[in-house]
Amino acid sequence: MANLTLVQAINLALVQEMEKDERVMILGEDVGLNGGVFRVTEGLFNRFGGDRVIDTPLAESGIIGTSIGLAMSGQRPVPEIQFEGFLGPAYDQICSHAARMRTRTRSAFTVPMTIRVPVGGGIHAPELHSDSPEAIYAHQPGLKVVMPASPYDAKGLLISAIRDPDPVIFFEPKRIYRAFREEVPEDEYTVPIGKARTVCEGEELTIVSWGASVVQCMQAIERSNDSIELIDLRTIYPIDMDAIEASVKKTGRCVIVHEAPRTSGFGAEIATQIMERCFLHLEAPVQRVAGFDTIMPYYKLETEYLPDADRIEKAINEIRAY
Amino acid sequence: MANLTLVQAINLALVQEMEKDERVMILGEDVGLNGGVFRVTEGLFNRFGGDRVIDTPLAESGIIGTSIGLAMSGQRPVPEIQFEGFLGPAYDQICSHAARMRTRTRSAFTVPMTIRVPVGGGIHAPELHSDSPEAIYAHQPGLKVVMPASPYDAKGLLISAIRDPDPVIFFEPKRIYRAFREEVPEDEYTVPIGKARTVCEGEELTIVSWGASVVQCMQAIERSNDSIELIDLRTIYPIDMDAIEASVKKTGRCVIVHEAPRTSGFGAEIATQIMERCFLHLEAPVQRVAGFDTIMPYYKLETEYLPDADRIEKAINEIRAY
Amino acid sequence: MPITKALETHIDHISILDEHGSFDEALGKDLIPDEDLLKLYQHMVVCRKLDEIAFKLQRSGRMGTFPQNMGQEATSLGAAYMLDDTDWMVTCYRENCGLFWRGLPMEKILQHWMGDERGNQIDRKHYCTPIAVPIGTQMLHATGLAWGAKYRGESQIACTFFGDGATSEGDFHEAMNFAANLDIPVIFFCQNNQWAISVPTSIQCSAPTVAQRGMAYGVECLQCDGNDIFAVAWCMKKAIESARDHNRPVFIEAVTYRLGDHTTADDARRYRDEEEVALWQSRDPLKRMRTFLESKGLWNDAQQAELDEHAEATVTAAVERAESIETPSRDDIFNWTFADIPEQIATQRDTMRTTSIGQDPSQIASEQATTQA
Amino acid sequence: MPITKALETHIDHISILDEHGSFDEALGKDLIPDEDLLKLYQHMVVCRKLDEIAFKLQRSGRMGTFPQNMGQEATSLGAAYMLDDTDWMVTCYRENCGLFWRGLPMEKILQHWMGDERGNQIDRKHYCTPIAVPIGTQMLHATGLAWGAKYRGESQIACTFFGDGATSEGDFHEAMNFAANLDIPVIFFCQNNQWAISVPTSIQCSAPTVAQRGMAYGVECLQCDGNDIFAVAWCMKKAIESARDHNRPVFIEAVTYRLGDHTTADDARRYRDEEEVALWQSRDPLKRMRTFLESKGLWNDAQQAELDEHAEATVTAAVERAESIETPSRDDIFNWTFADIPEQIATQRDTMRTTSIGQDPSQIASEQATTQA
Ligand SMILES: Cc1ncc(C[n+]2csc(CCOP(=O)(O)OP(=O)(O)O)c2C)c(N)n1
Ligand SMILES: Cc1ncc(C[n+]2csc(CCOP(=O)(O)OP(=O)(O)O)c2C)c(N)n1
Ligand SMILES: [Mg+2]
Ligand SMILES: [Mg+2]
């Protein structure tokens, strides 16, 4: 066991999977000698060489499109997109090809590829370095969408993603890349895709969140006197509704917290499925604490935009009082 | 008044706006002499000349990116993307630039642009010619998303869109391009963006839908003995929740119908807002009849995928019996 | 010297058997043995017959949209002929002639255009990828496929096909740039058929040649008469060497013409002149090949009559096979989304016609029970 | 002739004032009057000072990431100098020197990198577009801006700036292709500074020149020494003529070097040699210009000392202005999303700190009333 940051846990997962499986290749912008702008791939270039850790031209569609070809040919590419704001140029290759290849060819061709992408706000970065597009990709059939909230999960989920026979978008919440450490086993292990984690149990209200916001949820819970259950989704698609359903049927109240804009964010899907599954158990409408229907502001205002413990606390109180 | 198809109504709106406003330009693939693959721009090239109706290179990002520049320079571009499946290559220009330019520059630069896009399934077309990505763009702050369901609305909404100071994605449901005719005034008029239309009134259940599915909803309503109110959303973003709220508070029951995949579709946002606004009025969970979490099938199975009157009828009955 | 030359370069145009029947021995000798020539010609005729029959099928409602190869048979066929059987052919949708040479069953193509995904369920032994609908995107897959082979130390290369219109897409640029800079063995084969639906090549590329697109990447660029299967073969030979032996991509522009409509959904008379079509009809690769074979004493009218019959029979049999394939089952919509279908999709599948919910229908029951309780 | 030349072409490299101080009279004479030369030099020195001070601001937490211009001043400045004041400058983020020449207030740039959108609220009279963060995307806007001017019959052209890395993006290709084929007056100005963060130009473009990117489109391509403001000006003159008089785009590669880190978030020592940096330091455009001015008797140490002081004062004043701008109000998050803010966004704005709902808070009250009823 080692006490690792999320960055270190991901690095460790990459090292172990590359050692285990020759088919694994890393490609992207600055992932080589520089070790990635967040140093997630640090040391890999020296360890595995330029054939397996490849600095590509500055072209996201190229990175994903060639990764699709690599995957179709039998490799296990792990492309990195430098920031979630630069997924845009690759959107078409992801949604028109990676997501569709298995369906289109009835499994004659498949795309076992893990797209690693730093995600979310809060690091004082320029424009397009702070967004949360998980709902976009969750709406695209054929993709799995994963977002860990802790070093332990990051390692285990990334190993699952790399071994998954289908394309996975692996969002890495950059605000907590180095925010805290956690005991992470050195041996390899997997955390299954599609299973949520109950961070803490409670009886009176359920909070559902994912990614870096889980930290703010915990802060709000610590402040509260209520008995609150916190579910860290871990996987956005396929969603673990069984876990949410069981919790909400117990508590009757639910708050969902995410950074992405409120309208058509993934919180809407969860709230709707809760209504579908737990209608007669609900004591109050499911509440969302989310980003706003605006462009994520530059960093002078970013903390106003991101859900913080205050806003979560308000939601808890409102829903408890309902 | 003339009895027009949806295609003709759109063509008429384009002609009238081009005559009225020199800044309006049409650009896209095959929009010139050929009049568009659906003949929506038929006759415009001859009428307005090659400077205003421009066949561009085959490059969607180029079409939208140059349209953004044209709009910034003071023009009113109306680019066409040939099918919604080919919005993908333009995703980045739409979401990283068009949607953000006003916010980014605090209105120093704006992007008054209307992107016309045929949308949806049911015309026996090949892959990527049958999708419904409205929720994707509704989740992107800074965009308005419109989808008419009738010739009258198509003309009035398109004129509003072209005159709008901000970027609008104007989805044209291709299944009803020529499916029926409607009286459309020859004079110009506008239908406001952001206002839903009550297609028929009812007391016992509300159906919310948009685009071509409105036709299937009407079929289901005709079959039913219940008193059903049908709301045609017309605009996806900004959504007219006041209309929906008023209706659902009256009926207590709601079914949402859309073609897009169920998970994270725009139905989820509506259902969630209904819960937020009408919680204590709801007699049953809001129900969604939608496409599935799968790739839209090729045309041998497409009618199985699209919500039809049977599936809507089942939903009505289930929710009425709840 | 303040003005110096940073680069001097040029593009070669290759023509061996021209439209007037003249044949360049220096380049053409030994390029294609006579017996293969006959096979190639027969192959083209069968493919042309498919165009004719598919058109009728579409008009009578038995098939959806179909893109004809007519006029361009020599391009994909010449390329397929020169490639190894295990080299990847990464095509668009106008390369039937080359794909059939590969052994791809004709009914697969028909099935695809009849709206059935199983038409794209291609046996990997053919080393062909599925029909690519979004224009300009498949060249990146070709680059990845060739890269994978190179990574594993295999000698396999990829050849990717696309139209003049496709060269306007950003993905085309990114694919060529990746291949050139990362030394990936891909041949970029552009069928410049003068049109992208109704848009002429001059709007896609106003440069004197499309071939010079490749100059941007410092790769070898060749232009050839695409209706001349010898010229195509000659370029492919050079390109294959460069790719296989040196991991260097090559860009080939084959100048040809789409004699038919864009697809059966199109009417080309709306936007192009009869004269232009007539000119290119005189350059038809099938006519040219037949005349050549006849001039060499390898072909006669009786053989042609027999071939025409064979072609009709072959295509008709393929159509029958395609039409006799059972309709896919509803469940097929769901069963191929992932290797393991998540519970949510399985529920949608299992309830699609029995309930509108798309969720576990037992929920409805239990909720109702609760209501009543 | 079976092999014919479909195209012969070449690329010129322009150098006028080289790193050893030799000056080509034939090309350089009358290109830039002495008084302008002095102004340009002073301008560069001020911009270099900004780099130094901004770096310190970032290190002391008073600013976010900042991209220095250091080493590349002659490129954007030479271009800005030759353009008309109403020609569009469509930049990326490494063109401060040119933008200041335009009159863009320095505090605007500072404000932007201090995380405030108002830094991009640029008065349209400067004909500059906002800082473009997504690489390679702004060339399309330049093309549209120039197209708009052409449409309206204005003589305005656009010049767009981007790095070597940006030429790998698909949008770059689409922009050049639109401009070339639709005859749009844009100058594509590539600052090849040898690096895209840690990735060397050879991975973006393994061809002998980046300039040949433009050959793909049949447009004029020029390569110049980007640290030589005369060479830049010479190329711009030619390009402006071509664009303004003939609506023909031109591609210019200015060969230069990023002397600093990519941004203040980067540490270039991780991936590049000190030797390479030293070599390019000897080619520094500021040094070169100063030596040249001194050799012409136009400059001396006293003037330099005065200039250094002036530069420090100018930048310090700009920093003070930038730092004294009031923090934007919370409402600003919402108020610029659309011309007319929809009700939903207004509600989110008005309730952001008073309720978590983001919906009409009266709902909560009324619902609660209902509950209690
Ligand atoms: C990304 C994308 N945009 C638009 C289309 C619609 N479309 C289908 S074929 C075609 C023209 C293609 O021209 P070209 O590449 O020259 O190939 P050709 O059909 O001539 O063989 C267009 C615009 C598409 N399929 N994909
Ligand atoms: C689409 C996109 N991808 C990645 C990035 C991250 N990024 C910022 S600058 C940069 C390198 C740019 O290199 P170049 O174009 O040569 O410009 P330079 O910084 O050298 O001036 C990268 C990869 C980005 N901003 N946008
Ligand atoms: Mg073509
Ligand atoms: Mg650079």
Side-chain angles (χ1 to χ4, degrees):
Chain A
M1 293 278 257
N3 208 22
L4 303 185
T5 62
L6 203 136
V7 162
Q8 291 168 327
I10 293 172
N11 185 278
L12 183 58
L14 291 172
V15 167
Q16 291 181 345
E17 281 305 286
M18 289 189 79
E19 290 205 321
K20 198 187 163 85
D21 185 348
E22 277 254 312
R23 299 171 303 171
V24 177
M25 298 161 75
I26 287 176
L27 59 162
E29 298 157 8
D30 305 291
V31 298
L33 200 53
N34 199 34
V37 295
F38 288 106
R39 309 281 177 258
V40 174
T41 57
E42 180 142 32
L44 300 184
F45 179 82
N46 286 335
R47 184 158 183 164
F48 297 103
D51 286 346
R52 297 190 68 191
V53 182
I54 304 109
D55 274 332
T56 64
L58 204 175
E60 289 74 13
S61 190
I63 292 168
I64 301 303
T66 54
S67 291
I68 291 170
L70 282 165
M72 288 167 76
S73 95
Q75 300 300 121
R76 295 256 158 176
V78 185
E80 171 179 304
I81 297 295
Q82 204 160 72
F83 286 88
E84 78 293 317
F86 311 132
L87 273 170
Y91 179 86
D92 191 51
Q93 284 289 344
I94 296 172
C95 294
S96 298
H97 284 300
R100 291 173 203 253
M101 198 57 78
R102 180 188 288 280
T103 299
R104 169 190 294 155
T105 65
R106 296 296 187 241
S107 291
F109 290 95
T110 60
V111 182
M113 157 175 81
T114 301
I115 308 178
R116 290 185 38 253
V117 199
V119 77
I123 63 155
H124 273 209
E127 189 192 9
L128 286 159
H129 291 67
S130 306
D131 287 339
S132 295
E134 67 274 9
I136 301 294
Y137 297 96
H139 187 48
Q140 172 61 52
L143 299 177
K144 295 182 181 174
V145 182
V146 170
M147 198 189 300
S150 76
Y152 178 91
D153 282 357
K155 180 179 171 190
L157 282 166
L158 182 55
I159 293 178
S160 293
I162 294 174
R163 295 181 189 174
D164 198 279
D166 287 300
V168 178
I169 306 199
F170 190 84
F171 283 117
E172 303 172 358
K174 57 181 98 88
R175 186 159 83 244
I176 55 169
Y177 258 155
R178 298 183 164 79
F180 57 91
R181 292 170 178 270
E182 193 177 63
E183 290 299 317
V184 174
E186 281 178 49
D187 289 347
E188 56 164 78
Y189 60 90
T190 58
V191 170
I193 291 175
K195 289 275 168 259
R197 166 177 75 116
T198 302
V199 181
C200 60
E201 298 195 9
E203 304 298 323
E204 295 171 329
L205 186 143
T206 304
I207 297 183
V208 179
S209 190
W210 53 92
S213 291
V214 169
V215 174
Q216 278 69 47
C217 294
M218 282 164 62
Q219 288 167 358
I221 291 172
E222 269 159 38
R223 289 192 201 165
S224 170
N225 294 323
D226 298 331
S227 167
I228 298 174
E229 184 146 309
L230 174 59
I231 295 181
D232 165 14
L233 212 50
R234 296 203 289 204
T235 298
I236 315 299
Y237 196 92
I239 186 178
D240 185 357
M241 271 311 297
D242 291 345
I244 297 172
E245 179 181 344
S247 178
V248 176
K249 281 193 170 155
K250 174 173 69 176
T251 62
R253 289 179 162 83
C254 183
V255 171
I256 301 165
V257 181
H258 63 70
E259 289 187 22
R262 183 182 184 88
T263 290
S264 220
F266 201 70
E269 179 61 32
I270 300 172
T272 302
Q273 288 203 39
I274 290 173
M275 169 160 52
E276 287 167 355
R277 291 180 171 222
C278 315
F279 188 67
L280 299 173
H281 300 266
L282 280 177
E283 311 277 350
V286 177
Q287 176 69 300
R288 293 180 286 177
V289 180
F292 304 108
D293 290 2
T294 70
I295 303 301
M296 171 86 194
Y298 289 8
Y299 76 76
K300 283 218 165 155
L301 290 171
E302 75 175 337
T303 53
E304 298 288 344
Y305 186 92
L306 297 171
D308 57 17
D310 277 0
R311 284 175 60 204
I312 300 166
E313 200 185 0
K314 282 214 180 66
I316 294 170
N317 294 340
E318 280 166 15
I319 289 304
R320 286 280 294 144
Y322 190 91
Chain B
M1 292 278 257
N3 208 20
L4 302 185
T5 62
L6 202 136
V7 162
Q8 291 168 326
I10 293 173
N11 184 279
L12 183 58
L14 291 172
V15 167
Q16 292 181 344
E17 283 304 286
M18 290 188 80
E19 291 204 321
K20 196 186 167 86
D21 186 348
E22 277 254 312
R23 300 170 304 171
V24 178
M25 299 161 75
I26 288 176
L27 58 162
E29 298 157 8
D30 305 291
V31 298
L33 200 53
N34 198 34
V37 295
F38 288 106
R39 309 282 177 258
V40 174
T41 57
E42 180 142 32
L44 300 184
F45 178 82
N46 285 334
R47 186 160 184 161
F48 297 102
D51 285 347
R52 298 189 66 192
V53 183
I54 304 109
D55 275 331
T56 64
L58 204 176
E60 288 74 15
S61 191
I63 293 168
I64 301 304
T66 55
S67 292
I68 290 170
L70 282 165
M72 290 167 75
S73 93
Q75 301 299 122
R76 295 256 159 175
V78 185
E80 172 180 304
I81 297 296
Q82 204 160 73
F83 286 88
E84 78 294 318
F86 311 132
L87 273 170
Y91 178 87
D92 191 52
Q93 284 289 344
I94 296 172
C95 295
S96 297
H97 284 299
R100 291 173 202 253
M101 198 58 77
R102 179 188 290 278
T103 299
R104 170 190 295 156
T105 66
R106 296 297 188 239
S107 292
F109 290 94
T110 59
V111 182
M113 157 176 81
T114 301
I115 308 179
R116 291 186 36 253
V117 199
V119 76
I123 63 154
H124 273 209
E127 189 192 8
L128 287 158
H129 291 66
S130 306
D131 287 340
S132 296
E134 66 275 10
I136 300 294
Y137 297 97
H139 187 48
Q140 172 60 53
L143 300 178
K144 296 182 181 173
V145 182
V146 170
M147 199 189 300
S150 76
Y152 179 91
D153 283 357
K155 181 180 170 191
L157 283 166
L158 182 54
I159 293 178
S160 294
I162 294 173
R163 296 181 188 174
D164 199 278
D166 287 301
V168 178
I169 306 199
F170 191 83
F171 283 118
E172 303 172 358
K174 58 180 97 88
R175 185 159 84 242
I176 55 169
Y177 259 154
R178 298 183 164 79
F180 57 91
R181 291 169 179 272
E182 193 175 61
E183 290 299 317
V184 174
E186 282 179 47
D187 289 346
E188 55 163 80
Y189 61 90
T190 58
V191 170
I193 291 176
K195 289 276 168 260
R197 166 178 73 118
T198 303
V199 182
C200 59
E201 298 194 9
E203 305 298 323
E204 297 171 329
L205 186 143
T206 304
I207 298 183
V208 179
S209 190
W210 54 91
S213 291
V214 168
V215 174
Q216 277 70 48
C217 294
M218 283 164 64
Q219 289 168 359
I221 289 172
E222 268 159 38
R223 288 191 202 166
S224 170
N225 295 323
D226 298 331
S227 168
I228 298 174
E229 185 146 308
L230 174 58
I231 295 180
D232 165 14
L233 213 49
R234 295 203 290 203
T235 298
I236 314 300
Y237 195 91
I239 185 177
D240 185 357
M241 270 312 295
D242 290 346
I244 297 172
E245 178 181 344
S247 178
V248 176
K249 280 194 171 155
K250 173 173 71 175
T251 62
R253 290 180 160 85
C254 183
V255 172
I256 301 166
V257 181
H258 63 70
E259 290 187 20
R262 184 181 184 90
T263 290
S264 220
F266 201 70
E269 179 60 34
I270 300 172
T272 301
Q273 289 204 39
I274 290 173
M275 170 161 50
E276 287 167 355
R277 292 179 170 221
C278 315
F279 188 67
L280 298 173
H281 299 267
L282 280 178
E283 311 276 350
V286 177
Q287 177 67 304
R288 294 180 285 177
V289 180
F292 305 109
D293 289 2
T294 69
I295 304 300
M296 170 85 194
Y298 289 8
Y299 75 76
K300 284 220 165 156
L301 290 172
E302 76 174 336
T303 53
E304 298 288 343
Y305 186 91
L306 297 170
D308 57 17
D310 277 0
R311 283 175 60 203
I312 299 167
E313 202 186 358
K314 282 214 179 67
I316 294 171
N317 294 340
E318 281 168 13
I319 289 304
R320 287 281 293 143
Y322 191 92
Chain C
M1 283 265 289
I3 304 191
T4 49
K5 297 248 176 304
L7 181 81
E8 284 185 282
T9 183
H10 72 274
I11 285 176
D12 284 335
H13 176 93
I14 315 299
S15 152
I16 295 176
L17 173 63
D18 77 11
E19 58 203 281
H20 312 295
S22 102
F23 182 81
D24 185 85
E25 284 291 339
L27 296 184
K29 202 160 146 287
D30 298 335
L31 202 52
I32 307 177
D34 285 352
E35 64 193 81
D36 286 358
L37 267 187
L38 284 171
K39 277 194 214 151
L40 291 166
Y41 174 63
Q42 289 162 6
H43 208 79
M44 291 201 260
V45 170
V46 173
C47 185
R48 180 71 61 96
K49 180 59 75 178
L50 171 64
D51 278 355
E52 185 194 316
I53 291 181
F55 186 86
K56 287 186 203 150
L57 288 178
Q58 191 273 342
R59 284 299 187 267
S60 60
R62 285 158 68 191
M63 193 162 63
T65 319
F66 182 86
Q68 299 179 318
N69 269 31
M70 203 154 57
Q72 306 180 216
E73 290 88 348
T75 53
S76 67
L77 182 59
Y81 171 71
M82 297 300 288
L83 289 166
D84 280 0
D85 279 355
T86 55
D87 290 332
W88 284 105
M89 273 186 63
V90 182
T91 55
C92 193
Y93 49 75
R94 217 181 285 285
E95 298 87 359
N96 292 342
C97 204
L99 292 174
F100 298 154
W101 185 262
R102 264 305 163 90
L104 186 77
M106 192 178 280
E107 57 266 33
K108 282 284 183 192
I109 296 285
L110 287 164
Q111 197 181 1
H112 172 273
W113 295 109
M114 286 171 175
D116 185 337
E117 285 84 349
R118 291 171 298 174
N120 270 334
Q121 195 177 34
I122 299 166
D123 195 320
R124 284 183 76 108
K125 76 174 183 219
H126 298 306
Y127 291 95
C128 303
T129 50
I131 283 168
V133 167
I135 298 294
T137 53
Q138 75 278 11
M139 298 86 129
L140 281 168
H141 309 160
T143 305
L145 284 159
W147 187 354
K150 179 187 165 193
Y151 176 90
R152 294 185 298 271
E154 297 160 9
S155 70
Q156 192 183 32
I157 65 171
C159 180
T160 182
F161 298 82
F162 47 90
D164 41 293
T167 68
S168 293
E169 288 280 4
D171 276 7
F172 158 76
H173 170 71
E174 299 191 15
M176 290 224 45
N177 199 41
F178 268 63
N181 304 343
L182 303 177
D183 290 316
I184 300 173
V186 198
I187 299 168
F188 291 86
F189 192 105
C190 177
Q191 299 201 52
N192 176 2
N193 67 0
Q194 314 302 324
W195 293 93
I197 309 186
S198 73
V199 180
T201 303
S202 58
I203 287 182
Q204 312 295 343
C205 180
S206 55
T209 68
V210 173
Q212 73 201 78
R213 293 279 207 218
M215 283 187 172
Y217 318 100
V219 308
E220 184 162 13
C221 307
L222 294 164
Q223 189 190 57
C224 70
D225 178 345
N227 291 0
D228 169 2
I229 199 164
F230 293 96
V232 172
W234 191 94
C235 291
M236 282 296 295
K237 196 172 167 201
K238 237 183 137 195
I240 290 168
E241 241 172 64
S242 171
R244 197 167 339 263
D245 302 344
H246 310 289
N247 284 318
R248 289 306 294 163
V250 176
F251 183 85
I252 298 173
E253 174 195 5
V255 180
T256 179
Y257 195 78
R258 193 193 81 207
L259 285 176
D261 295 328
H262 169 68
T263 64
T264 47
D266 178 48
D267 177 3
R269 287 167 306 181
R270 290 175 66 89
Y271 52 78
R272 69 181 185 185
D273 288 343
E274 289 300 325
E275 278 165 43
E276 182 185 288
V277 180
L279 173 68
W280 281 93
Q281 252 150 1
S282 74
R283 298 174 180 163
D284 186 327
L286 270 71
K287 279 194 204 145
R288 194 181 303 189
M289 187 78 136
R290 181 174 171 179
T291 312
F292 181 69
L293 291 173
E294 285 172 354
S295 77
K296 291 190 76 172
L298 292 169
W299 197 250
N300 60 35
D301 285 356
Q303 282 169 302
Q304 182 69 35
E306 208 178 302
L307 172 57
D308 286 340
E309 240 172 73
H310 161 75
E312 177 97 36
T314 304
V315 175
T316 310
V319 172
E320 263 167 37
R321 282 196 299 280
E323 289 193 327
S324 69
I325 295 167
E326 243 181 301
T327 310
S329 95
R330 275 205 288 250
D331 287 5
D332 267 15
I333 295 176
F334 304 89
N335 288 346
W336 305 95
T337 313
F338 294 101
D340 298 308
I341 299 306
E343 196 190 309
Q344 204 163 329
I345 295 183
T347 306
Q348 290 180 11
R349 174 190 65 206
D350 299 339
T351 62
M352 71 181 290
R353 286 282 150 195
T354 53
T355 153
S356 71
I357 298 268
Q359 300 295 336
D360 181 359
S362 70
Q363 297 286 342
I364 315 169
S366 74
E367 297 290 6
Q368 279 168 345
T370 324
T371 324
Q372 281 142 21
Chain D
M1 281 267 287
I3 304 191
T4 51
K5 296 249 178 302
L7 181 81
E8 284 185 282
T9 183
H10 72 274
I11 285 177
D12 283 336
H13 177 95
I14 315 298
S15 152
I16 296 176
L17 172 63
D18 77 10
E19 58 203 281
H20 311 295
S22 101
F23 182 81
D24 185 84
E25 284 291 339
L27 296 184
K29 201 158 146 286
D30 298 334
L31 203 51
I32 307 177
D34 285 352
E35 65 193 80
D36 287 358
L37 265 187
L38 283 171
K39 278 195 213 147
L40 291 166
Y41 174 64
Q42 288 162 5
H43 209 80
M44 290 201 262
V45 170
V46 173
C47 185
R48 180 72 59 97
K49 180 58 75 178
L50 171 64
D51 278 355
E52 185 195 315
I53 291 182
F55 186 86
K56 287 187 203 147
L57 288 178
Q58 191 274 341
R59 284 296 188 269
S60 60
R62 285 159 67 191
M63 193 162 61
T65 318
F66 183 85
Q68 300 179 317
N69 270 31
M70 202 154 58
Q72 306 180 214
E73 289 88 349
T75 54
S76 66
L77 182 58
Y81 171 71
M82 297 300 288
L83 290 165
D84 279 0
D85 278 355
T86 55
D87 291 331
W88 284 104
M89 273 187 63
V90 182
T91 55
C92 194
Y93 49 75
R94 215 182 285 285
E95 299 87 358
N96 291 342
C97 205
L99 292 173
F100 298 153
W101 186 261
R102 264 305 163 91
L104 186 77
M106 194 178 280
E107 56 266 35
K108 282 283 182 193
I109 296 285
L110 287 164
Q111 198 181 1
H112 172 274
W113 295 110
M114 286 171 174
D116 185 338
E117 285 85 349
R118 292 170 299 174
N120 270 335
Q121 196 177 32
I122 299 167
D123 195 320
R124 284 184 75 108
K125 75 175 183 215
H126 298 304
Y127 291 94
C128 303
T129 51
I131 282 167
V133 167
I135 298 294
T137 53
Q138 75 278 12
M139 298 87 129
L140 282 168
H141 309 160
T143 305
L145 285 160
W147 187 355
K150 179 187 165 193
Y151 176 89
R152 295 185 297 271
E154 298 160 7
S155 71
Q156 191 183 34
I157 64 170
C159 180
T160 182
F161 298 81
F162 47 89
D164 41 294
T167 69
S168 294
E169 288 281 4
D171 275 8
F172 157 76
H173 170 71
E174 299 190 16
M176 291 224 46
N177 199 41
F178 267 63
N181 305 342
L182 303 176
D183 290 317
I184 300 174
V186 198
I187 299 169
F188 291 86
F189 192 106
C190 177
Q191 299 202 50
N192 176 2
N193 67 0
Q194 315 302 324
W195 293 93
I197 310 186
S198 73
V199 180
T201 303
S202 58
I203 288 182
Q204 311 296 344
C205 181
S206 55
T209 68
V210 174
Q212 73 201 79
R213 293 278 207 220
M215 284 188 170
Y217 319 100
V219 308
E220 185 163 11
C221 308
L222 293 165
Q223 190 190 55
C224 69
D225 178 346
N227 291 0
D228 169 3
I229 199 164
F230 294 95
V232 171
W234 192 94
C235 291
M236 281 298 294
K237 195 171 167 205
K238 237 184 137 196
I240 289 168
E241 241 173 63
S242 171
R244 196 164 343 259
D245 302 344
H246 310 288
N247 285 316
R248 289 305 296 163
V250 176
F251 184 86
I252 298 173
E253 175 194 2
V255 181
T256 180
Y257 194 78
R258 192 192 81 208
L259 284 177
D261 295 327
H262 168 67
T263 65
T264 47
D266 178 48
D267 178 2
R269 287 167 305 183
R270 290 176 64 90
Y271 52 78
R272 68 182 185 183
D273 288 343
E274 290 299 326
E275 279 166 42
E276 183 185 287
V277 181
L279 173 67
W280 282 93
Q281 254 151 359
S282 72
R283 300 174 179 164
D284 186 329
L286 269 70
K287 279 193 205 148
R288 195 181 304 189
M289 187 79 136
R290 180 174 173 181
T291 312
F292 181 69
L293 291 172
E294 285 172 352
S295 75
K296 291 189 76 173
L298 293 168
W299 197 251
N300 60 36
D301 286 355
Q303 283 169 301
Q304 182 69 37
E306 209 178 301
L307 173 58
D308 287 340
E309 242 171 68
H310 162 74
E312 177 98 34
T314 306
V315 175
T316 309
V319 171
E320 262 167 36
R321 283 196 300 278
E323 289 192 329
S324 69
I325 296 166
E326 244 181 300
T327 309
S329 95
R330 272 206 291 250
D331 287 5
D332 267 14
I333 295 176
F334 304 90
N335 288 347
W336 305 95
T337 314
F338 296 102
D340 298 309
I341 299 305
E343 196 191 309
Q344 204 163 330
I345 295 183
T347 307
Q348 291 180 10
R349 174 191 63 206
D350 299 339
T351 62
M352 71 180 290
R353 287 282 150 193
T354 55
T355 152
S356 72
I357 297 268
Q359 299 297 333
D360 181 1
S362 71
Q363 297 285 344
I364 313 171
S366 76
E367 298 288 8
Q368 277 167 348
T370 324
T371 322
Q372 280 141 21

